[in-house]
Amino acid sequence: MTPCVGQRESWVYRRRGGPDVGFRFASYIDDYMVLQREPAGAVIWGYGAPRATVTVTLCREQEPIMKKVTSVKDSNTWTVVLDPMKPGGPYEVMAQQSLGRINFTLRVHDVLFGDVWLCSGQSNMKMTVSQVFNATGELSNTTAYQSVRILSVSSTQAQQELEDLTKVDLRWSKPTSKNLGHGNFTYMSAVCWLFGRFLYDTLRYPVGLLSSSWSGTPIEAWSSRRSLEACGVPRSGSMPSDLQTGPSAHSVLWNAMIHPLRNMTLKGVIWYQGESNVNFNRDLYNCTFPLLIDDWRQTFHDGSQGQTERLFPFGFVQLSSYLFGEAPNDGLSQIRWHQTADFGYVPNQRMPNTFMAVSVDLCDRNSPFGSIHPRDKQTVAYRLHLGARALAYGEKLIFQGPLPQKIELLADKGLLNLTYSQPIKVQRRDDKIFEVACCSDRQCEWLPAPMDTFSTQTLALSITSCHDSPAALRYAWTPWPCEYKQCPLYHPTSTLPAPPFIAPITNLSPGYHSRTAK
C-alpha cells in the first residue's frame, strides 16, 4: 500500500499549486473537511493529466488504511469512491498522480467522517450568527463544536452548468467567532450553523455544513432548466424590484453554486427560500419546489455514483411573518401553502422524505434587517433539527405541530368541530385566526370563526356569523397570524405551532381536494 509519507523524488504540496497546477483536488476538497460516513462511501475527485494513474490513500497517524487507484479521464478528471467509514478522525487524504517516471502528490489533513448537510436558499439562510438574537453568546459558543466544520460557497452565477466551484468564500474551517460572525449576510449561515450544532448535540460525531445561498433570489435561479421546463415556467418575466436583490435568471445559481457540488456524498439538504416568489411565479411554486427537490436528489445521487441516497432527507423552513404595509396581501399565505405542494404538511405524496420547520409564530416586528428577516434563527434551527432527527435518523419524536384530521359541520349548533391527529394546547383564544368561507350563488366571503370549546384533541369553532353555506375553513391565513410565539395552537409538549391550512368542510384532512377551497 502507498506509504503516507511522500518519497523524496516526488513533488509534495497541499491541495493545489505546485509545479503541476493541472493536478489538483476539486475546489471543496480541503483541509478540515468532513466526508460522509457509512453506510455511504465518500467521493474524492479532482483534475489531472489524461491517462495518468491516480492513487488515493486514506491515512491515519501516517499509516495507510485504504487505497483506491483510478485513471484520469480524457476530460481531465479523476474520481474514486472510498469504502464506507465509521464517524471520527482525524485522517489525511493523499492523492498521487503517476505519469511515466513523474509523480505529484497532494495532501489534505484533519479530515473527519460524519454527516454532510448542504444549506441553501436566500437571505434568511444567508443571515449570519452576528445577526441573530443573543449573537454575542452564540459566537462565543464554539469550543465544544470543533468537530462541526463549515464551508461557504461564494455568490457566483453562470449561464451553463459548471463542473467545479469557481470560488469559495470560506474554505473548510473549524468554527470561530470570526468566521461565524463575518458580517451581515456574508458567511456563515446562522440557520445552517445552528442546525448543525443541534444535530451534533444529539449525534456526538462530526457534522459538515456547506452553505450555498444568495439573498433576494427566486427559486427559478436555483432550479435546473429541465425542472423549470417540466413546470412550464415562462422563460421571460421580471421580478418586482422590491424583492430582487440577487440574480433571478433561470438556473444561474443552480449552474454555479449547486451543480458543482453534485459529486459530493451528502446526508441531506436544508432550504430557506420563497420570499422572492411571493409575487413572482407564485402559482407555479407548488410545482417548482417539489421538482427542485426531486431534481437535486437525482443529480446528487448520479453525481456521487449512487452514494448519496436517491431520496435523501430534504428539510425546509415554511416562511415566517413579515409586514407588507396597509394593503392586504394573500401571496405570503399562498406561498406557505405551495411550499407543501398544497397539502399543508410534509412528508406527503409529492414530497416524500421531507421535513418542515413552521415559523409563522417567529415574527420580528423590530428586526433591524426588516421584519422579513426575523432574528430568532435558534428556534428555526431547532425545529428543523427535530425533523431531521425523525426523517433522517429514524427517531420517534414529535417534529410537526397539530393538524386537524377531521372537520365536521354541526349545522344545528352553528359549530365546526375539528378533530386533531395529536394533542393540542390552546395557548390562547383567538376570534379571527380561523376563517370560514360562506358561499351563496357562487360568491364566497371569508368570515371569522371564533374559537369555542376545546378538549385534548378537539376544537369547536363558532360559525353563527355564516348565514349561507360554509364551504371551507382556513387557519393562520394572513401574512402576520400572531405575535412572537403567541399563536393559539401548539403541540402541548414539543411547543411546535399548528401550521397554516386551508381545507374544504368535509371529513377529509387539510390538503385533500384543497384546490376547491380557494
Side-chain angles (χ1 to χ4, degrees), residues 167-211:
K167 188 179 178 184
V168 172
D169 275 345
L170 177 68
R171 291 163 59 172
W172 278 114
S173 303
K174 297 180 180 181
T176 67
S177 59
K178 184 176 179 180
N179 60 30
L180 289 176
H182 190 66
N184 293 345
F185 302 105
T186 55
Y187 67 86
M188 171 66 181
S189 163
V191 169
C192 191
W193 162 250
L194 294 166
F195 169 80
R197 202 178 70 184
F198 280 126
L199 275 186
Y200 180 81
D201 286 340
T202 297
L203 301 173
R204 309 307 298 180
Y205 59 70
V207 176
L209 303 169
L210 296 95
S211 176

mmCIF file of all heavy atoms in Angstrom, residues 167-211:
data_model
loop_
_atom_site.group_PDB
_atom_site.id
_atom_site.type_symbol
_atom_site.label_atom_id
_atom_site.label_comp_id
_atom_site.label_asym_id
_atom_site.label_seq_id
_atom_site.Cartn_x
_atom_site.Cartn_y
_atom_site.Cartn_z
ATOM 1 N N LYS A 167 -15.252 29.704 -6.947
ATOM 2 C CA LYS A 167 -14.743 30.444 -5.801
ATOM 3 C C LYS A 167 -15.436 29.977 -4.524
ATOM 4 O O LYS A 167 -16.603 29.608 -4.545
ATOM 5 C CB LYS A 167 -14.972 31.952 -6.006
ATOM 6 C CG LYS A 167 -14.320 32.848 -4.973
ATOM 7 C CD LYS A 167 -14.591 34.319 -5.281
ATOM 8 C CE LYS A 167 -13.987 35.226 -4.232
ATOM 9 N NZ LYS A 167 -14.320 36.654 -4.459
ATOM 10 N N VAL A 168 -14.698 30.004 -3.428
ATOM 11 C CA VAL A 168 -15.234 29.651 -2.113
ATOM 12 C C VAL A 168 -14.947 30.819 -1.175
ATOM 13 O O VAL A 168 -13.806 31.277 -1.072
ATOM 14 C CB VAL A 168 -14.589 28.359 -1.574
ATOM 15 C CG1 VAL A 168 -15.004 28.106 -0.138
ATOM 16 C CG2 VAL A 168 -14.973 27.166 -2.444
ATOM 17 N N ASP A 169 -15.980 31.340 -0.505
ATOM 18 C CA ASP A 169 -15.787 32.435 0.453
ATOM 19 C C ASP A 169 -15.044 31.970 1.700
ATOM 20 O O ASP A 169 -14.153 32.647 2.206
ATOM 21 C CB ASP A 169 -17.142 33.018 0.876
ATOM 22 C CG ASP A 169 -17.657 34.062 -0.089
ATOM 23 O OD1 ASP A 169 -16.859 34.532 -0.918
ATOM 24 O OD2 ASP A 169 -18.844 34.404 -0.011
ATOM 25 N N LEU A 170 -15.466 30.813 2.197
ATOM 26 C CA LEU A 170 -14.865 30.262 3.410
ATOM 27 C C LEU A 170 -14.518 28.811 3.135
ATOM 28 O O LEU A 170 -15.408 27.978 2.958
ATOM 29 C CB LEU A 170 -15.832 30.368 4.594
ATOM 30 C CG LEU A 170 -15.341 29.758 5.907
ATOM 31 C CD1 LEU A 170 -14.173 30.558 6.467
ATOM 32 C CD2 LEU A 170 -16.480 29.689 6.935
ATOM 33 N N ARG A 171 -13.218 28.512 3.063
ATOM 34 C CA ARG A 171 -12.807 27.123 2.888
ATOM 35 C C ARG A 171 -13.164 26.332 4.138
ATOM 36 O O ARG A 171 -13.436 26.893 5.187
ATOM 37 C CB ARG A 171 -11.310 27.076 2.597
ATOM 38 C CG ARG A 171 -10.954 27.637 1.232
ATOM 39 C CD ARG A 171 -9.481 27.973 1.096
ATOM 40 N NE ARG A 171 -8.613 26.819 1.321
ATOM 41 C CZ ARG A 171 -7.304 26.833 1.107
ATOM 42 N NH1 ARG A 171 -6.720 27.930 0.662
ATOM 43 N NH2 ARG A 171 -6.580 25.756 1.332
ATOM 44 N N TRP A 172 -13.170 25.008 4.012
ATOM 45 C CA TRP A 172 -13.485 24.177 5.168
ATOM 46 C C TRP A 172 -12.725 24.680 6.395
ATOM 47 O O TRP A 172 -11.508 24.856 6.350
ATOM 48 C CB TRP A 172 -13.119 22.722 4.904
ATOM 49 C CG TRP A 172 -14.128 21.941 4.122
ATOM 50 C CD1 TRP A 172 -13.977 21.427 2.866
ATOM 51 C CD2 TRP A 172 -15.427 21.542 4.561
ATOM 52 N NE1 TRP A 172 -15.113 20.754 2.491
ATOM 53 C CE2 TRP A 172 -16.014 20.804 3.501
ATOM 54 C CE3 TRP A 172 -16.165 21.749 5.725
ATOM 55 C CZ2 TRP A 172 -17.306 20.256 3.587
ATOM 56 C CZ3 TRP A 172 -17.448 21.212 5.814
ATOM 57 C CH2 TRP A 172 -18.007 20.477 4.767
ATOM 58 N N SER A 173 -13.449 24.912 7.466
ATOM 59 C CA SER A 173 -12.857 25.519 8.655
ATOM 60 C C SER A 173 -13.491 24.972 9.915
ATOM 61 O O SER A 173 -14.635 24.506 9.911
ATOM 62 C CB SER A 173 -13.069 27.046 8.641
ATOM 63 O OG SER A 173 -12.544 27.639 7.474
ATOM 64 N N LYS A 174 -12.752 25.054 10.991
ATOM 65 C CA LYS A 174 -13.336 24.880 12.311
ATOM 66 C C LYS A 174 -14.060 26.182 12.669
ATOM 67 O O LYS A 174 -13.636 27.261 12.260
ATOM 68 C CB LYS A 174 -12.253 24.569 13.338
ATOM 69 C CG LYS A 174 -11.515 23.259 13.091
ATOM 70 C CD LYS A 174 -10.453 23.021 14.152
ATOM 71 C CE LYS A 174 -9.712 21.719 13.906
ATOM 72 N NZ LYS A 174 -8.683 21.457 14.949
ATOM 73 N N PRO A 175 -15.139 26.097 13.438
ATOM 74 C CA PRO A 175 -15.907 27.304 13.736
ATOM 75 C C PRO A 175 -15.170 28.235 14.688
ATOM 76 O O PRO A 175 -14.552 27.789 15.663
ATOM 77 C CB PRO A 175 -17.183 26.758 14.380
ATOM 78 C CG PRO A 175 -16.764 25.447 14.987
ATOM 79 C CD PRO A 175 -15.735 24.891 14.050
ATOM 80 N N THR A 176 -15.223 29.528 14.401
ATOM 81 C CA THR A 176 -14.683 30.556 15.280
ATOM 82 C C THR A 176 -15.674 31.710 15.322
ATOM 83 O O THR A 176 -16.562 31.812 14.470
ATOM 84 C CB THR A 176 -13.330 31.097 14.769
ATOM 85 O OG1 THR A 176 -13.556 31.803 13.527
ATOM 86 C CG2 THR A 176 -12.330 29.982 14.540
ATOM 87 N N SER A 177 -15.520 32.575 16.290
ATOM 88 C CA SER A 177 -16.404 33.738 16.355
ATOM 89 C C SER A 177 -16.235 34.613 15.115
ATOM 90 O O SER A 177 -17.174 35.263 14.670
ATOM 91 C CB SER A 177 -16.113 34.559 17.619
ATOM 92 O OG SER A 177 -14.772 35.008 17.633
ATOM 93 N N LYS A 178 -15.054 34.600 14.524
ATOM 94 C CA LYS A 178 -14.793 35.426 13.348
ATOM 95 C C LYS A 178 -15.475 34.884 12.109
ATOM 96 O O LYS A 178 -16.143 35.620 11.368
ATOM 97 C CB LYS A 178 -13.287 35.552 13.108
ATOM 98 C CG LYS A 178 -12.934 36.483 11.959
ATOM 99 C CD LYS A 178 -11.426 36.648 11.819
ATOM 100 C CE LYS A 178 -11.104 37.574 10.654
ATOM 101 N NZ LYS A 178 -9.630 37.752 10.498
ATOM 102 N N ASN A 179 -15.338 33.581 11.853
ATOM 103 C CA ASN A 179 -15.945 33.076 10.613
ATOM 104 C C ASN A 179 -17.442 32.811 10.735
ATOM 105 O O ASN A 179 -18.137 32.685 9.719
ATOM 106 C CB ASN A 179 -15.200 31.853 10.047
ATOM 107 C CG ASN A 179 -15.162 30.669 11.000
ATOM 108 O OD1 ASN A 179 -16.051 30.463 11.816
ATOM 109 N ND2 ASN A 179 -14.101 29.870 10.896
ATOM 110 N N LEU A 180 -17.964 32.772 11.950
ATOM 111 C CA LEU A 180 -19.419 32.666 12.117
ATOM 112 C C LEU A 180 -20.082 34.037 12.103
ATOM 113 O O LEU A 180 -21.263 34.155 11.788
ATOM 114 C CB LEU A 180 -19.756 31.965 13.431
ATOM 115 C CG LEU A 180 -19.458 30.468 13.512
ATOM 116 C CD1 LEU A 180 -19.757 29.956 14.912
ATOM 117 C CD2 LEU A 180 -20.258 29.695 12.479
ATOM 118 N N GLY A 181 -19.346 35.061 12.462
ATOM 119 C CA GLY A 181 -19.910 36.410 12.547
ATOM 120 C C GLY A 181 -19.181 37.373 11.639
ATOM 121 O O GLY A 181 -18.781 38.461 12.059
ATOM 122 N N HIS A 182 -19.004 36.963 10.398
ATOM 123 C CA HIS A 182 -18.152 37.721 9.472
ATOM 124 C C HIS A 182 -18.761 39.052 9.066
ATOM 125 O O HIS A 182 -18.063 39.937 8.585
ATOM 126 C CB HIS A 182 -17.884 36.867 8.234
ATOM 127 C CG HIS A 182 -16.846 37.425 7.316
ATOM 128 N ND1 HIS A 182 -15.522 37.540 7.669
ATOM 129 C CD2 HIS A 182 -16.930 37.909 6.059
ATOM 130 C CE1 HIS A 182 -14.839 38.059 6.670
ATOM 131 N NE2 HIS A 182 -15.658 38.294 5.674
ATOM 132 N N GLY A 183 -20.067 39.217 9.231
ATOM 133 C CA GLY A 183 -20.738 40.446 8.821
ATOM 134 C C GLY A 183 -22.182 40.130 8.493
ATOM 135 O O GLY A 183 -22.651 39.005 8.697
ATOM 136 N N ASN A 184 -22.917 41.106 8.002
ATOM 137 C CA ASN A 184 -24.321 40.903 7.658
ATOM 138 C C ASN A 184 -24.454 40.222 6.300
ATOM 139 O O ASN A 184 -23.931 40.705 5.296
ATOM 140 C CB ASN A 184 -25.064 42.241 7.634
ATOM 141 C CG ASN A 184 -25.161 42.858 9.020
ATOM 142 O OD1 ASN A 184 -24.937 42.186 10.030
ATOM 143 N ND2 ASN A 184 -25.493 44.130 9.068
ATOM 144 N N PHE A 185 -25.143 39.091 6.304
ATOM 145 C CA PHE A 185 -25.442 38.358 5.071
ATOM 146 C C PHE A 185 -24.174 37.922 4.329
ATOM 147 O O PHE A 185 -24.164 37.809 3.103
ATOM 148 C CB PHE A 185 -26.355 39.177 4.143
ATOM 149 C CG PHE A 185 -27.655 39.576 4.780
ATOM 150 C CD1 PHE A 185 -27.880 40.876 5.198
ATOM 151 C CD2 PHE A 185 -28.659 38.641 4.994
ATOM 152 C CE1 PHE A 185 -29.073 41.250 5.800
ATOM 153 C CE2 PHE A 185 -29.860 39.001 5.600
ATOM 154 C CZ PHE A 185 -30.062 40.309 6.001
ATOM 155 N N THR A 186 -23.094 37.719 5.063
ATOM 156 C CA THR A 186 -21.900 37.099 4.494
ATOM 157 C C THR A 186 -21.567 35.915 5.389
ATOM 158 O O THR A 186 -21.979 35.871 6.537
ATOM 159 C CB THR A 186 -20.713 38.082 4.467
ATOM 160 O OG1 THR A 186 -20.490 38.584 5.792
ATOM 161 C CG2 THR A 186 -20.989 39.255 3.533
ATOM 162 N N TYR A 187 -20.805 34.976 4.844
ATOM 163 C CA TYR A 187 -20.643 33.706 5.552
ATOM 164 C C TYR A 187 -20.461 33.922 7.050
ATOM 165 O O TYR A 187 -19.923 34.945 7.471
ATOM 166 C CB TYR A 187 -19.472 32.937 4.934
ATOM 167 C CG TYR A 187 -18.109 33.563 5.139
ATOM 168 C CD1 TYR A 187 -17.357 33.297 6.298
ATOM 169 C CD2 TYR A 187 -17.546 34.406 4.184
ATOM 170 C CE1 TYR A 187 -16.108 33.864 6.506
ATOM 171 C CE2 TYR A 187 -16.286 34.973 4.374
ATOM 172 C CZ TYR A 187 -15.573 34.706 5.537
ATOM 173 O OH TYR A 187 -14.336 35.263 5.734
ATOM 174 N N MET A 188 -20.934 33.047 8.004
ATOM 175 C CA MET A 188 -21.500 31.739 7.687
ATOM 176 C C MET A 188 -22.988 31.751 8.041
ATOM 177 O O MET A 188 -23.389 32.412 8.966
ATOM 178 C CB MET A 188 -20.747 30.672 8.498
ATOM 179 C CG MET A 188 -21.312 29.273 8.479
ATOM 180 S SD MET A 188 -21.234 28.525 6.855
ATOM 181 C CE MET A 188 -22.003 26.939 7.187
ATOM 182 N N SER A 189 -23.838 30.987 7.339
ATOM 183 C CA SER A 189 -25.263 30.940 7.604
ATOM 184 C C SER A 189 -25.567 30.552 9.051
ATOM 185 O O SER A 189 -25.126 29.518 9.544
ATOM 186 C CB SER A 189 -25.920 29.923 6.661
ATOM 187 O OG SER A 189 -27.206 29.560 7.122
ATOM 188 N N ALA A 190 -26.384 31.388 9.708
ATOM 189 C CA ALA A 190 -26.766 31.098 11.093
ATOM 190 C C ALA A 190 -27.664 29.874 11.178
ATOM 191 O O ALA A 190 -27.475 29.020 12.047
ATOM 192 C CB ALA A 190 -27.464 32.318 11.701
ATOM 193 N N VAL A 191 -28.656 29.792 10.309
ATOM 194 C CA VAL A 191 -29.555 28.632 10.343
ATOM 195 C C VAL A 191 -28.769 27.349 10.121
ATOM 196 O O VAL A 191 -28.964 26.344 10.810
ATOM 197 C CB VAL A 191 -30.681 28.775 9.293
ATOM 198 C CG1 VAL A 191 -31.456 27.470 9.147
ATOM 199 C CG2 VAL A 191 -31.633 29.898 9.691
ATOM 200 N N CYS A 192 -27.858 27.385 9.165
ATOM 201 C CA CYS A 192 -27.039 26.211 8.855
ATOM 202 C C CYS A 192 -26.189 25.815 10.071
ATOM 203 O O CYS A 192 -26.180 24.655 10.489
ATOM 204 C CB CYS A 192 -26.156 26.529 7.650
ATOM 205 S SG CYS A 192 -25.301 25.104 6.929
ATOM 206 N N TRP A 193 -25.491 26.799 10.651
ATOM 207 C CA TRP A 193 -24.631 26.526 11.800
ATOM 208 C C TRP A 193 -25.429 26.014 12.993
ATOM 209 O O TRP A 193 -25.064 25.008 13.619
ATOM 210 C CB TRP A 193 -23.855 27.776 12.182
ATOM 211 C CG TRP A 193 -23.287 27.739 13.570
ATOM 212 C CD1 TRP A 193 -23.690 28.475 14.650
ATOM 213 C CD2 TRP A 193 -22.228 26.893 14.035
ATOM 214 N NE1 TRP A 193 -22.948 28.157 15.757
ATOM 215 C CE2 TRP A 193 -22.041 27.183 15.414
ATOM 216 C CE3 TRP A 193 -21.429 25.932 13.432
ATOM 217 C CZ2 TRP A 193 -21.082 26.536 16.180
ATOM 218 C CZ3 TRP A 193 -20.467 25.276 14.198
ATOM 219 C CH2 TRP A 193 -20.302 25.580 15.556
ATOM 220 N N LEU A 194 -26.511 26.684 13.322
ATOM 221 C CA LEU A 194 -27.288 26.289 14.495
ATOM 222 C C LEU A 194 -27.931 24.918 14.305
ATOM 223 O O LEU A 194 -28.016 24.117 15.237
ATOM 224 C CB LEU A 194 -28.348 27.352 14.798
ATOM 225 C CG LEU A 194 -27.784 28.719 15.224
ATOM 226 C CD1 LEU A 194 -28.870 29.785 15.161
ATOM 227 C CD2 LEU A 194 -27.182 28.643 16.622
ATOM 228 N N PHE A 195 -28.394 24.640 13.082
ATOM 229 C CA PHE A 195 -28.925 23.315 12.756
ATOM 230 C C PHE A 195 -27.857 22.245 12.991
ATOM 231 O O PHE A 195 -28.109 21.220 13.648
ATOM 232 C CB PHE A 195 -29.393 23.309 11.302
ATOM 233 C CG PHE A 195 -29.732 21.952 10.751
ATOM 234 C CD1 PHE A 195 -30.955 21.360 11.041
ATOM 235 C CD2 PHE A 195 -28.844 21.283 9.910
ATOM 236 C CE1 PHE A 195 -31.271 20.105 10.514
ATOM 237 C CE2 PHE A 195 -29.159 20.044 9.384
ATOM 238 C CZ PHE A 195 -30.376 19.451 9.690
ATOM 239 N N GLY A 196 -26.663 22.488 12.483
ATOM 240 C CA GLY A 196 -25.588 21.518 12.670
ATOM 241 C C GLY A 196 -25.186 21.357 14.118
ATOM 242 O O GLY A 196 -24.840 20.259 14.570
ATOM 243 N N ARG A 197 -25.226 22.456 14.857
ATOM 244 C CA ARG A 197 -24.878 22.395 16.270
ATOM 245 C C ARG A 197 -25.894 21.561 17.052
ATOM 246 O O ARG A 197 -25.524 20.730 17.894
ATOM 247 C CB ARG A 197 -24.808 23.816 16.840
ATOM 248 C CG ARG A 197 -23.983 23.933 18.097
ATOM 249 C CD ARG A 197 -23.930 25.364 18.572
ATOM 250 N NE ARG A 197 -25.239 25.801 19.092
ATOM 251 C CZ ARG A 197 -25.491 27.042 19.502
ATOM 252 N NH1 ARG A 197 -24.558 27.966 19.413
ATOM 253 N NH2 ARG A 197 -26.681 27.351 19.992
ATOM 254 N N PHE A 198 -27.192 21.781 16.764
ATOM 255 C CA PHE A 198 -28.222 20.961 17.420
ATOM 256 C C PHE A 198 -28.053 19.487 17.051
ATOM 257 O O PHE A 198 -28.217 18.599 17.910
ATOM 258 C CB PHE A 198 -29.620 21.436 17.021
ATOM 259 C CG PHE A 198 -30.101 22.657 17.773
ATOM 260 C CD1 PHE A 198 -30.532 23.777 17.082
ATOM 261 C CD2 PHE A 198 -30.142 22.677 19.154
ATOM 262 C CE1 PHE A 198 -30.984 24.907 17.754
ATOM 263 C CE2 PHE A 198 -30.591 23.798 19.844
ATOM 264 C CZ PHE A 198 -31.009 24.915 19.138
ATOM 265 N N LEU A 199 -27.748 19.219 15.787
ATOM 266 C CA LEU A 199 -27.534 17.827 15.379
ATOM 267 C C LEU A 199 -26.360 17.209 16.124
ATOM 268 O O LEU A 199 -26.428 16.072 16.588
ATOM 269 C CB LEU A 199 -27.280 17.742 13.871
ATOM 270 C CG LEU A 199 -28.477 17.676 12.930
ATOM 271 C CD1 LEU A 199 -28.001 17.446 11.503
ATOM 272 C CD2 LEU A 199 -29.448 16.569 13.333
ATOM 273 N N TYR A 200 -25.274 17.966 16.221
ATOM 274 C CA TYR A 200 -24.090 17.441 16.901
ATOM 275 C C TYR A 200 -24.392 17.117 18.361
ATOM 276 O O TYR A 200 -23.895 16.113 18.896
ATOM 277 C CB TYR A 200 -22.938 18.436 16.809
ATOM 278 C CG TYR A 200 -21.685 17.952 17.484
ATOM 279 C CD1 TYR A 200 -20.835 17.056 16.840
ATOM 280 C CD2 TYR A 200 -21.357 18.364 18.779
ATOM 281 C CE1 TYR A 200 -19.685 16.592 17.473
ATOM 282 C CE2 TYR A 200 -20.214 17.906 19.418
ATOM 283 C CZ TYR A 200 -19.381 17.018 18.761
ATOM 284 O OH TYR A 200 -18.251 16.550 19.388
ATOM 285 N N ASP A 201 -25.209 17.940 19.011
ATOM 286 C CA ASP A 201 -25.573 17.677 20.405
ATOM 287 C C ASP A 201 -26.243 16.312 20.549
ATOM 288 O O ASP A 201 -26.124 15.660 21.591
ATOM 289 C CB ASP A 201 -26.515 18.766 20.925
ATOM 290 C CG ASP A 201 -25.789 20.073 21.201
ATOM 291 O OD1 ASP A 201 -24.553 20.055 21.360
ATOM 292 O OD2 ASP A 201 -26.459 21.126 21.244
ATOM 293 N N THR A 202 -26.950 15.894 19.513
ATOM 294 C CA THR A 202 -27.623 14.589 19.530
ATOM 295 C C THR A 202 -26.722 13.470 19.029
ATOM 296 O O THR A 202 -26.620 12.405 19.644
ATOM 297 C CB THR A 202 -28.896 14.642 18.659
ATOM 298 O OG1 THR A 202 -29.806 15.594 19.214
ATOM 299 C CG2 THR A 202 -29.575 13.281 18.597
ATOM 300 N N LEU A 203 -26.045 13.715 17.905
ATOM 301 C CA LEU A 203 -25.278 12.653 17.252
ATOM 302 C C LEU A 203 -23.961 12.370 17.960
ATOM 303 O O LEU A 203 -23.506 11.219 17.998
ATOM 304 C CB LEU A 203 -24.994 13.036 15.799
ATOM 305 C CG LEU A 203 -26.209 13.290 14.897
ATOM 306 C CD1 LEU A 203 -25.756 13.821 13.538
ATOM 307 C CD2 LEU A 203 -27.023 12.012 14.717
ATOM 308 N N ARG A 204 -23.301 13.437 18.436
ATOM 309 C CA ARG A 204 -21.993 13.343 19.081
ATOM 310 C C ARG A 204 -20.930 12.775 18.148
ATOM 311 O O ARG A 204 -20.004 12.078 18.580
ATOM 312 C CB ARG A 204 -22.059 12.510 20.369
ATOM 313 C CG ARG A 204 -23.151 12.926 21.333
ATOM 314 C CD ARG A 204 -23.111 14.395 21.677
ATOM 315 N NE ARG A 204 -21.874 14.817 22.342
ATOM 316 C CZ ARG A 204 -21.626 16.065 22.723
ATOM 317 N NH1 ARG A 204 -22.518 17.016 22.472
ATOM 318 N NH2 ARG A 204 -20.484 16.356 23.312
ATOM 319 N N TYR A 205 -21.049 13.038 16.873
ATOM 320 C CA TYR A 205 -19.971 12.748 15.927
ATOM 321 C C TYR A 205 -19.929 13.866 14.894
ATOM 322 O O TYR A 205 -20.829 14.702 14.842
ATOM 323 C CB TYR A 205 -20.113 11.364 15.289
ATOM 324 C CG TYR A 205 -21.382 11.086 14.518
ATOM 325 C CD1 TYR A 205 -21.643 11.715 13.282
ATOM 326 C CD2 TYR A 205 -22.312 10.149 14.971
ATOM 327 C CE1 TYR A 205 -22.783 11.430 12.560
ATOM 328 C CE2 TYR A 205 -23.454 9.863 14.254
ATOM 329 C CZ TYR A 205 -23.683 10.501 13.047
ATOM 330 O OH TYR A 205 -24.820 10.223 12.331
ATOM 331 N N PRO A 206 -18.885 13.952 14.052
ATOM 332 C CA PRO A 206 -18.693 15.121 13.197
ATOM 333 C C PRO A 206 -19.861 15.418 12.265
ATOM 334 O O PRO A 206 -20.556 14.511 11.787
ATOM 335 C CB PRO A 206 -17.435 14.764 12.404
ATOM 336 C CG PRO A 206 -16.667 13.856 13.312
ATOM 337 C CD PRO A 206 -17.717 13.042 14.011
ATOM 338 N N VAL A 207 -20.044 16.711 12.017
ATOM 339 C CA VAL A 207 -21.056 17.207 11.080
ATOM 340 C C VAL A 207 -20.375 18.213 10.154
ATOM 341 O O VAL A 207 -19.657 19.112 10.619
ATOM 342 C CB VAL A 207 -22.228 17.892 11.818
ATOM 343 C CG1 VAL A 207 -23.216 18.499 10.821
ATOM 344 C CG2 VAL A 207 -22.943 16.891 12.732
ATOM 345 N N GLY A 208 -20.589 18.058 8.864
ATOM 346 C CA GLY A 208 -20.076 19.000 7.874
ATOM 347 C C GLY A 208 -21.209 19.838 7.313
ATOM 348 O O GLY A 208 -22.263 19.301 6.949
ATOM 349 N N LEU A 209 -21.012 21.148 7.253
ATOM 350 C CA LEU A 209 -22.051 22.073 6.816
ATOM 351 C C LEU A 209 -21.532 22.913 5.650
ATOM 352 O O LEU A 209 -20.525 23.612 5.782
ATOM 353 C CB LEU A 209 -22.459 23.001 7.961
ATOM 354 C CG LEU A 209 -22.958 22.332 9.238
ATOM 355 C CD1 LEU A 209 -23.070 23.366 10.358
ATOM 356 C CD2 LEU A 209 -24.302 21.649 9.002
ATOM 357 N N LEU A 210 -22.236 22.852 4.517
ATOM 358 C CA LEU A 210 -21.904 23.692 3.374
ATOM 359 C C LEU A 210 -23.024 24.684 3.165
ATOM 360 O O LEU A 210 -24.188 24.294 2.990
ATOM 361 C CB LEU A 210 -21.746 22.865 2.095
ATOM 362 C CG LEU A 210 -20.621 21.854 2.031
ATOM 363 C CD1 LEU A 210 -21.137 20.489 2.443
ATOM 364 C CD2 LEU A 210 -20.061 21.781 0.618
ATOM 365 N N SER A 211 -22.703 25.952 3.156
ATOM 366 C CA SER A 211 -23.697 26.994 2.914
ATOM 367 C C SER A 211 -23.523 27.516 1.497
ATOM 368 O O SER A 211 -22.438 27.951 1.110
ATOM 369 C CB SER A 211 -23.522 28.130 3.919
ATOM 370 O OG SER A 211 -24.423 29.177 3.638
#
